[in-house]
Amino acid sequence: MSFTIAIIGRPNVGKSTLFNRLVGQKLALVDDMPGVTRDRREGEAKLGDLHFTIIDTAGLDEGPKGSLTARMQEQTETAIALADALFFVIDARIGLTPADRAFADFARRADKPVLLLANKSEGKHGELGAMESYALGLGDPIQISAEHGEGMGELYDALSRIVPESEDEEEEREETDEERANRPIRVAIVGRPNAGKSTLINHLLGEERLLTSPEAGTTRDSIAVEIEHKGRGFRVFDTAGLRRRSRIEEKLEKLSVADALRAVRFAEVVVLMMDAQHRFEEQDLRIADLVEREGRALVLAVNKWDLMEAQPGQISMLRRDADHWLPQVAGVPIVAVSGLMGEGIDRLMQAIVEAYAVWNRRVPTSALNRWFEGAIANNPPPAVSGRRLKLNYITQTKARPPSFVLFCSRADAIPQSYLRYLTNSMRETFELPGTPVRITLREKANPFAHKRKRPN
């Protein structure tokens, strides 16, 4: 099992900046405003030849029982319990604060190895603040600058004394191959604010892993969690709610939205959650269109279904609404769920697995061209400027999503309506519901184009 380290400290001391540097990606949101990080976030970190799991946590802070601040601290306490060691981070430019002293006692009570990191130590003021930190009684401070990468050598020396040696390369390679063969499906949960995304994931996990609140906008980072459902692995990303661009004003919300969009691009299947009482609103349709343009498999989850009054034919009505409002992903799976009550969860997870399989589907070339000949015979391409368009043959170039190249004459003259006809016919024939289908037009080379006419 991987050695795990939790980064702790009061708000705005640079914990997320250090997390991003160690994982080698900007996974955690960073801003000058305190309290940006709310949920705990995990990543695979590397420092030199040391490999370990790192957990970014919310800043240790106090708040009334049951409040969002108090539940953020509970998430941090859970991360400390899971960790094998702690990075206790202070802001060397500011020096010690009463909160640092109080939380140093908290770190000592954890009874785990603690490395004291004096962040933002660049410059004279940082040097003085680092000297102050000896008073915490947590050993020699390691002076670093997470933003500029200074002090990483000293951190490596200290860390190498507590991180166990890695397994040999051969064992690691075999483990990686096995993981790749059984790789979990990457799923992003997206939707408007307060659609119930975090509540759904918490129910899947069976614990309050992600912070939830009636207040819209509780989730900021795109948090990834590992879930196993009926023997199948999933890596699920909870994302910030996506609002219309005109309503996004604060810098932090813009960062959260950008993080959510990155999660969509990283995912293989995207679950668009809608409120059952306010479904298929303009922003829902925009998000679905974004997912289609990014080429990801899509599943619609209509949440808070337990609040709807039972009426006959409601599920059929959902199906008709989905096909009406989202013709570009005709047949997209749609599931009525209640994240709070746990209703419809099995159907949702099955829909994700099936959408993933369709997204990866390859159609044999012989079957594809038999369909192609029949589709053209049933509905020939229109004549443009009195000349009939010639469609030669079609082949699949890749899956994820299913993508095809159609060889033809005068590619620029083929109308979009005819391409939609081919796409819908292909969906129906080869059972490709809901997934994006790409058809690229390519003009067949003229074998006589290079020959010059002979002079008379």
Side-chain angles (χ1 to χ4, degrees), residues 32-95:
D32 293 334
M33 187 181 79
V36 172
T37 301
R38 288 178 170 175
D39 292 289
R40 67 182 191 266
R41 178 169 205 152
E42 297 183 10
E44 295 305 313
K46 179 181 178 183
L47 187 60
D49 58 351
L50 301 177
H51 297 264
F52 50 95
T53 298
I54 195 79
I55 306 178
D56 185 24
T57 67
L60 290 165
D61 212 342
E62 296 179 346
K65 186 175 181 180
S67 66
L68 182 60
T69 302
R71 287 186 291 134
M72 287 163 61
Q73 180 156 340
E74 289 173 6
Q75 289 286 331
T76 299
E77 291 171 357
T78 301
I80 292 172
L82 293 172
D84 300 300
L86 306 176
F87 284 166
F88 185 84
V89 184
I90 67 165
D91 187 335
R93 290 185 303 192
I94 295 177

Side-chain angles (χ1 to χ4, degrees), residues 374-393:
I376 294 175
N378 292 333
N379 184 11
V384 177
S385 301
R387 295 170 57 193
R388 178 70 65 184
L389 297 174
K390 187 175 182 181
L391 307 185
N392 300 102
Y393 63 94

Side-chain angles (χ1 to χ4, degrees), residues 301-337:
V302 182
N303 195 25
K304 307 180 184 179
W305 195 250
D306 53 308
L307 302 179
M308 297 292 291
E309 183 180 348
Q311 293 179 357
Q314 283 182 313
I315 300 299
S316 298
M317 188 181 299
L318 283 181
R319 175 75 272 155
R320 289 195 299 271
D321 288 347
D323 289 340
H324 171 74
W325 291 109
L326 298 170
Q328 70 273 38
V329 283
V332 61
I334 184 165
V335 184
V337 300

Side-chain angles (χ1 to χ4, degrees), residues 233-268:
F234 301 85
R235 185 168 177 80
V236 182
F237 293 80
D238 184 26
T239 65
L242 297 172
R243 297 198 292 172
R244 288 206 308 268
R245 185 177 299 178
S246 60
R247 293 190 177 182
I248 301 174
E249 298 174 355
E250 296 183 7
K251 175 187 175 185
L252 181 56
E253 187 174 358
K254 291 179 180 178
L255 291 172
S256 298
V257 169
D259 201 36
L261 296 178
R262 279 196 297 272
V264 169
R265 295 182 182 110
F266 181 73
E268 295 163 320

